[in-house]
Each structure stands twice: as C-alpha cells, then as structure tokens.
Amino acid sequence: MLEVSDSKLAKYVVHQVSDTLILGEETFSQPEVMLEAAFTQLAFNKLDMEQQYEFFHETDIGLNEVYTYVMSIFDQENSFLEQSKNIATHLHSASGHPQIKSGELFIGLFENCFMSTDVTKVIAIVKIDEKEIFLDVKNEQNKMIVNGIDGINVKRINNMAVIVDMGSDKAPAVFMKTKKKEDVVYWQERFLKIKVADEHYHKTNLALTECKKYILKEESFTNTEKLGFLNKTLDYFRSEEEFQVNDYIETVFVKAEPVQKDIIVNTVKPYETVISESAIAKAEKSYKRKIKLDSTIEIQVNVRDIEQVHELIEVGYDETTNRKFYKIYFQEEV
C-alpha cells in the first residue's frame, strides 16, 4: 500500500497538451505549503491504491516510452525537465483524436513516500482537461473585493498515473485512474502501456463486482433475498480457492431458473480465476448490507447467514393501510 501523507513535492513542471504542444521550460521546487497541499491532492485524489499495474512491451520493455522516461528520472533527478518534456510529447502523440480534450499536464516528483515500510520516490502524471470558475473574495482596507478566477479544481477526477520507484532491481509499481471509461484506451493502453500486475486480484474484483450488480438489479429477488445472496456470495469467495461460475451458481442460487443461470454465466464466466483474498477484503467494503425503503428509511443488516436473515426479518403486507412492512426480531437494544 502506498502512503503519501508525509510526502514532499521535490520538483514539478506543467506542460500544455493541445493541437500545439507547449512545453514548460522551467522546473519548480519547494512550493509553499498550501500550493504543495493542492498539488498533492491533485496527484493522489481518489486514486485506487489497491489495484496495481506494471509497464510492459511486446518485445522489449526498454521500448515502452513512459517506462524509459520515468526510470531515467529515478536514476538521475537532474533529467527531470528533459524527461518530462519527453512524457508530454509522447502523450501528445497518443492523444491524436478529436474527442480527446486539450489540457494541462502536471508532472511532479514526490519524495518521502512509503510503499509498505520502504521510503521511496514517486512520479505523478496528471492530465487536466477542464477548468472551473472560482470566486476569489478578499478584504482590502475593509472593502470586500470579489473576482472570478479561471482555475483548476484539485478534487476533480482527472486522468492520472502514479509511478513508484521500487529500486534499481525491481520494476516500478504503477497506479492509475481515468476520468471516464472511454479514456482507458488512450491513457492506459496507448500512453502508459500498462497491464494489471496481479491478474488474480483483478479478475476476483471484477467477478465480485458483476455478481453484486446482477443480484441488485434482478427484480424477481426481494430485498431480503438480495441481502442473502450478497452474503452467500462473499461466503463462497471466502471459502473457495478458485472461482468457478457453475459451482458458484449451485452454491449461491440453488433455485435459480435456467434463464437466470445463463445470465450469470455469460456475465462472469470470463472472470474465473484463483481467488484473491485482498480483492475480497476490498469487496466487503462495497457490499452494502442495506434495505432501502421509499419512506427514506434504511435498515442496516450485518447478518451473513441467509437463513438467519429470514429468521430475524419478516416481510408482510397490511391490508388496512395497503402498505408493506418489515417486522424485525431482537433480544435487546444495544
């Protein structure tokens, strides 16, 4: 896990990638505290630190442009400006499509980052496609002055990549995020040319995600049944070494109709894999055990066993009021 809370922005540069490439000619260092905090948030905001990637090339990793440029920076920091220009030029060539927007390219070298327990350096690459209008309010001699500023929202999701120096004898670790799914082709495949480092983690994560989507969208399941199926899905992944879709269906969806089975098979068959425990731990955070009602009431349920769910929660219909109700059984309030 990458930790950047104590990181220091050692160097940074900004280029503009548009129809005409405009390269920054100056490297900046040691920004003041607020600016450094802003750049740090820009570089690492909402980045998935659990999904790791690695650079690759079909014949020779040395022919992977971004890999070569960032390794040069890690080896010789005084090449930062030159190699950042190479990165910007390569991105410009990979962005030759009318739907890819022009924007600023921030490249920063962060020091004092931690990967596990090791202190390391990180290169952050952020492509900023959109600016926003901000209000700058100042008190000048007891007179309030308001100006509109065209600026960058550091909390907005951008196309970004974070490359971690793992040492001279190891390949760098890469973390990535795209602003939208359509950007994956040009950002991940054409520009960075990276692939998932842990294929088992990746496929387990996708399988859990697609299983959850199916359960939540299936209209024939009641809310309590959906809770049960979600819990049984997690139990299946916890207890098995490999994800096999037919075994999963027989274990979780005992009474599934043939059409339902076909939908599940077609959806998650490509993700059959050796199960990754770390992917399960991530999925547990997103498997919401809630029943949402149209009265804006939410019932949080932390029961794993589906049979126990049915014992504790009873669904009924009140003919007097023409409304559904839940009856919840418990021993005492805590």
Side-chain angles (χ1 to χ4, degrees), residues 182-287:
E182 303 91 277
D183 290 341
V184 169
V185 172
Y186 105 88
W187 186 257
Q188 177 180 339
E189 299 177 12
R190 296 195 340 229
F191 169 56
L192 295 170
K193 198 151 192 175
I194 55 176
K195 63 181 180 180
V196 174
D198 185 345
E199 193 67 25
H200 298 318
Y201 174 93
H202 183 58
K203 284 191 172 182
T204 303
N205 184 44
L206 289 173
L208 282 160
T209 300
E210 293 303 320
C211 289
K212 182 182 74 171
K213 284 183 181 178
Y214 168 75
I215 292 168
L216 295 178
K217 289 183 178 180
E218 179 53 57
E219 295 180 356
S220 65
F221 299 153
T222 66
N223 283 330
T224 50
E225 285 176 330
K226 289 178 181 180
L227 283 176
F229 289 136
L230 289 175
N231 290 328
K232 289 188 75 173
T233 294
L234 286 175
D235 286 341
Y236 170 85
F237 277 86
R238 291 190 198 98
S239 60
E240 299 294 330
E241 294 184 358
E242 293 188 18
F243 171 62
Q244 298 290 338
V245 64
N246 290 322
D247 182 50
Y248 165 72
I249 293 172
E250 292 175 4
T251 303
V252 177
F253 303 97
V254 180
K255 300 179 181 179
E257 298 292 334
V259 174
Q260 292 176 323
K261 290 183 179 180
D262 289 342
I263 293 173
I264 300 171
V265 170
N266 292 333
T267 302
V268 298
K269 179 72 174 178
Y271 310 132
E272 290 185 326
T273 184
V274 174
I275 293 174
S276 164
E277 292 185 4
S278 56
I280 299 173
K282 177 184 178 182
E284 285 181 322
K285 301 174 185 177
S286 64
Y287 266 54

Side-chain angles (χ1 to χ4, degrees), residues 14-18 20-24 88 92 102-105 131:
V14 178
H15 306 293
Q16 187 174 49
V17 181
S18 58
T20 301
L21 181 63
I22 302 174
L23 299 174
H92 181 258
S102 302
E104 285 70 34
L105 180 68
K131 292 185 178 180

